Amino acid sequence: MAGLLANRGNNYWKWLVPLVFWTILLGGITGCSNTEEDTSIHTATEVGEHIKQTVKLEEMKQGDLTKLQKLYEIAPEEVEDFVLFTASSNVEADELLVLKVKDINQIEVVKEKVQKRIEAQTVKFRDYRPIEYHLVEKHVWRVKDQFILFAVSEKNDQIKGAFEEFFQ
């Protein structure tokens, strides 16, 4: 009987060891995977390019750091990266800003600065251009980790969808 148990034990170890090995290996692999994407590896330029591929922005012109400071009073040291598009004419309200802040704690500060821009555009268009005023009132504001999206456009739903899709 002792010989049978000893024999049985050897067969047991032949399949138990590989089973334990593969269980630990697969558990480690799946345990280390994360369904949340690390957004810190992305840039605002990448997000902006994704939006441009989804939504036609040809009628808008791309802005630079000077334009960002002029429109939003956002200092360069607050921003890691950004993409800015504005209407080609000053009688239109269209704007698209994708911004990555250096520090997530700056989100509220930037939000206040964007709010000032919204207020200025509201005053500018309220009585002068009611259709543009309506666009300003229906603006899009989204935050994803360090990223901010601000959009004033007839294509707000598409822009918002492209922004959210980028991070999925």
Side-chain angles (χ1 to χ4, degrees):
M1 183 82 171
L4 271 177
L5 288 176
N7 229 0
R8 189 187 244 179
N10 287 340
N11 287 336
Y12 175 76
W13 286 107
K14 285 182 185 176
W15 63 268
L16 180 64
V17 170
L19 178 66
V20 169
F21 171 78
W22 285 109
T23 303
I24 291 170
L25 180 66
L26 290 175
I29 291 171
T30 57
C32 292
S33 69
N34 187 356
T35 56
E36 274 295 308
E37 184 176 353
D38 181 9
T39 60
S40 66
I41 61 172
H42 295 296
T43 65
T45 304
E46 292 171 336
V47 178
E49 283 299 317
H50 181 74
I51 292 171
K52 279 176 43 178
Q53 290 173 0
T54 307
V55 182
K56 302 283 186 229
L57 300 175
E58 291 89 23
E59 67 277 0
M60 297 176 78
K61 60 183 178 182
Q62 190 159 3
D64 57 9
L65 185 58
T66 303
K67 190 75 161 180
L68 179 73
Q69 290 174 309
K70 179 181 176 187
L71 298 180
Y72 299 97
E73 299 177 4
I74 295 174
E77 56 272 4
E78 296 173 293
V79 178
E80 187 170 312
D81 187 28
F82 75 95
V83 173
L84 173 64
F85 287 93
T86 58
S88 55
S89 167
N90 64 357
V91 296
E92 296 172 342
D94 295 312
E95 287 183 30
L96 171 65
L97 174 64
V98 178
L99 189 136
K100 183 176 182 182
V101 293
K102 287 184 179 178
D103 181 358
I104 200 158
N105 296 322
Q106 294 171 313
I107 295 286
E108 284 304 313
V109 172
V110 171
K111 185 176 184 177
E112 290 172 15
K113 292 178 180 189
V114 171
Q115 187 59 42
K116 286 181 184 178
R117 174 69 177 160
I118 293 167
E119 291 166 7
Q121 291 294 82
T122 298
V123 169
K124 177 180 176 181
F125 290 116
R126 181 180 293 132
D127 297 322
Y128 174 59
R129 306 260 312 181
I131 293 172
E132 302 302 313
Y133 167 75
H134 178 71
L135 292 178
V136 173
E137 289 296 303
K138 299 296 181 188
H139 67 271
V140 169
W141 171 264
R142 291 286 181 272
V143 175
K144 173 68 175 168
D145 299 327
Q146 291 176 267
F147 290 89
I148 294 171
L149 167 70
F150 170 67
V152 175
S153 173
E154 290 178 350
K155 303 169 187 173
N156 277 347
D157 290 337
Q158 294 170 314
I159 293 169
K160 178 177 67 173
F163 179 80
E164 292 170 355
E165 177 186 76
F166 181 84
F167 294 106
Q168 291 180 350

